[in-house]
Amino acid sequence: MIKGKVKDAIWILEGALAIVIAILFFAKLPTLTVFFSILLLANFMLIGAGSRVDKMFLIYPYGTFLVIFWGGFLGLFYYWKLYYNAIPKTLFLGMHPGTAILWVVFLVLGGFLTTILSYTVLFEKNVISQKEWDTFISDVEDFNKKHEQEEKPEEEIK
Protein backbone atom coordinates (compact mmCIF):
# COMPACT_ATOMS: atom_id res chain seq x y z
CA MET A 1 0.00 0.00 0.00
CA ILE A 2 2.75 2.46 0.89
CA LYS A 3 5.45 2.41 -1.76
CA GLY A 4 6.72 4.50 -4.62
CA LYS A 5 5.15 7.93 -4.90
CA VAL A 6 3.09 7.54 -1.72
CA LYS A 7 6.21 6.76 0.31
CA ASP A 8 8.03 9.71 -1.30
CA ALA A 9 5.09 11.95 -0.40
CA ILE A 10 5.24 10.80 3.21
CA TRP A 11 8.97 11.62 3.34
CA ILE A 12 8.23 15.09 1.95
CA LEU A 13 5.49 15.46 4.57
CA GLU A 14 7.99 14.43 7.27
CA GLY A 15 10.37 17.16 6.11
CA ALA A 16 7.58 19.73 6.10
CA LEU A 17 6.49 18.62 9.58
CA ALA A 18 10.06 18.98 10.86
CA ILE A 19 10.14 22.57 9.56
CA VAL A 20 6.73 23.33 11.10
CA ILE A 21 7.87 21.84 14.43
CA ALA A 22 11.00 23.99 14.42
CA ILE A 23 8.96 27.13 13.68
CA LEU A 24 6.44 26.32 16.42
CA PHE A 25 9.25 25.57 18.86
CA PHE A 26 10.99 28.88 18.26
CA ALA A 27 7.62 30.69 18.33
CA LYS A 28 7.25 29.27 21.86
CA LEU A 29 4.07 27.30 21.15
CA PRO A 30 4.83 24.08 23.05
CA THR A 31 1.37 22.52 22.82
CA LEU A 32 1.25 22.71 19.03
CA THR A 33 4.87 21.60 18.83
CA VAL A 34 4.02 18.43 20.75
CA PHE A 35 0.98 17.62 18.60
CA PHE A 36 2.88 18.02 15.35
CA SER A 37 5.75 15.96 16.82
CA ILE A 38 3.33 13.11 17.55
CA LEU A 39 2.19 13.17 13.92
CA LEU A 40 5.82 13.17 12.79
CA LEU A 41 6.58 10.10 14.92
CA ALA A 42 3.41 8.29 13.87
CA ASN A 43 4.27 8.74 10.20
CA PHE A 44 7.50 6.83 10.75
CA MET A 45 5.27 3.82 11.50
CA LEU A 46 3.83 4.12 8.00
CA ILE A 47 7.27 4.43 6.43
CA GLY A 48 8.59 1.49 8.42
CA ALA A 49 5.64 -0.74 7.59
CA GLY A 50 5.95 0.09 3.89
CA SER A 51 4.18 -2.17 1.42
CA ARG A 52 2.95 -4.50 4.16
CA VAL A 53 0.43 -1.93 5.41
CA ASP A 54 -3.24 -2.69 4.97
CA LYS A 55 -6.30 -0.62 5.91
CA MET A 56 -6.38 -2.16 9.39
CA PHE A 57 -2.92 -0.71 10.10
CA LEU A 58 -4.32 2.83 9.65
CA ILE A 59 -6.81 2.13 12.43
CA TYR A 60 -4.57 0.07 14.67
CA PRO A 61 -1.79 0.82 15.61
CA TYR A 62 -1.37 4.07 13.62
CA GLY A 63 -4.75 5.64 14.44
CA THR A 64 -4.70 4.32 17.98
CA PHE A 65 -1.24 5.80 18.53
CA LEU A 66 -2.45 9.23 17.35
CA VAL A 67 -5.62 9.16 19.47
CA ILE A 68 -3.92 7.92 22.63
CA PHE A 69 -0.99 10.31 22.47
CA TRP A 70 -3.00 13.37 21.40
CA GLY A 71 -5.60 12.65 24.09
CA GLY A 72 -2.91 11.96 26.65
CA PHE A 73 -1.12 15.23 25.98
CA LEU A 74 -4.41 17.15 26.01
CA GLY A 75 -5.13 15.73 29.48
CA LEU A 76 -1.57 16.33 30.59
CA PHE A 77 -1.59 19.98 29.53
CA TYR A 78 -5.07 20.46 31.02
CA TYR A 79 -4.06 19.19 34.47
CA TRP A 80 -0.75 20.98 34.45
CA LYS A 81 -2.52 24.29 33.77
CA LEU A 82 -5.32 23.51 36.23
CA TYR A 83 -2.95 22.77 39.10
CA TYR A 84 -0.08 25.09 38.21
CA ASN A 85 1.70 26.05 41.47
CA ALA A 86 -0.94 24.23 43.52
CA ILE A 87 -1.34 20.84 45.11
CA PRO A 88 -4.46 19.02 43.89
CA LYS A 89 -6.96 18.04 46.58
CA THR A 90 -7.64 14.70 44.94
CA LEU A 91 -4.95 12.41 43.62
CA PHE A 92 -5.23 9.71 40.99
CA LEU A 93 -3.47 6.50 42.00
CA GLY A 94 -1.69 8.55 44.66
CA MET A 95 -0.19 10.87 42.05
CA HIS A 96 -0.77 14.31 40.62
CA PRO A 97 -3.32 13.86 37.80
CA GLY A 98 -0.80 15.05 35.19
CA THR A 99 1.76 12.51 36.36
CA ALA A 100 -0.86 9.76 36.47
CA ILE A 101 -1.63 10.48 32.83
CA LEU A 102 2.06 10.01 32.04
CA TRP A 103 2.03 6.56 33.62
CA VAL A 104 -1.41 5.28 32.68
CA VAL A 105 -1.96 6.74 29.22
CA PHE A 106 1.55 6.78 27.81
CA LEU A 107 3.13 3.77 29.47
CA VAL A 108 0.21 1.35 29.73
CA LEU A 109 -2.06 2.35 26.86
CA GLY A 110 0.45 3.98 24.55
CA GLY A 111 3.38 1.70 25.17
CA PHE A 112 1.75 -1.63 25.83
CA LEU A 113 -1.33 -1.57 23.63
CA THR A 114 0.00 0.20 20.56
CA THR A 115 3.40 -1.45 20.50
CA ILE A 116 3.33 -4.90 22.03
CA LEU A 117 -0.25 -5.78 21.14
CA SER A 118 0.16 -4.54 17.55
CA TYR A 119 2.89 -7.14 17.02
CA THR A 120 0.63 -9.95 18.17
CA VAL A 121 -2.31 -8.71 16.11
CA LEU A 122 -0.50 -7.75 12.91
CA PHE A 123 2.82 -9.62 12.90
CA GLU A 124 1.75 -12.96 11.53
CA LYS A 125 -0.26 -11.76 8.56
CA ASN A 126 1.56 -8.53 7.65
CA VAL A 127 5.21 -8.83 8.50
CA ILE A 128 6.52 -12.17 7.27
CA SER A 129 5.14 -15.20 5.45
CA GLN A 130 5.62 -18.74 6.71
CA LYS A 131 7.95 -19.51 3.79
CA GLU A 132 10.15 -16.51 4.60
CA TRP A 133 10.17 -17.50 8.29
CA ASP A 134 11.22 -21.08 7.47
CA THR A 135 14.01 -19.73 5.26
CA PHE A 136 15.18 -17.48 8.08
CA ILE A 137 15.21 -20.36 10.56
CA SER A 138 17.23 -22.55 8.18
CA ASP A 139 19.71 -19.68 7.63
CA VAL A 140 20.15 -19.30 11.39
CA GLU A 141 20.68 -23.05 11.79
CA ASP A 142 23.28 -23.02 8.98
CA PHE A 143 25.04 -20.09 10.62
CA ASN A 144 25.09 -21.89 13.98
CA LYS A 145 26.54 -25.06 12.39
CA LYS A 146 29.31 -23.07 10.69
CA HIS A 147 30.03 -21.21 13.91
CA GLU A 148 30.26 -24.48 15.87
CA GLN A 149 32.65 -25.94 13.28
CA GLU A 150 34.91 -22.88 13.53
CA GLU A 151 35.06 -23.16 17.32
CA LYS A 152 35.95 -26.89 17.44
CA PRO A 153 39.51 -26.60 16.04
CA GLU A 154 40.30 -23.89 18.61
CA GLU A 155 39.05 -26.11 21.44
CA GLU A 156 41.15 -29.07 20.22
CA ILE A 157 44.30 -26.91 20.29
CA LYS A 158 43.73 -26.01 23.94
Side-chain angles (χ1 to χ4, degrees), residues 72 75-77 79-80 83 88 92 95-103 106:
L76 186 68
F77 291 141
Y79 283 113
W80 280 354
Y83 295 114
F92 184 71
M95 295 180 273
H96 183 284
T99 306
I101 286 174
L102 286 174
W103 283 95
F106 297 134

Side-chain angles (χ1 to χ4, degrees), residues 61-94:
Y62 180 78
T64 306
F65 177 87
L66 288 175
V67 169
I68 287 174
F69 277 80
W70 279 342
F73 273 106
L74 278 174
L76 186 68
F77 291 141
Y78 170 78
Y79 283 113
W80 280 354
K81 286 180 183 178
L82 184 66
Y83 295 114
Y84 182 75
N85 272 343
I87 298 173
K89 293 178 182 172
T90 57
L91 300 175
F92 184 71
L93 298 175

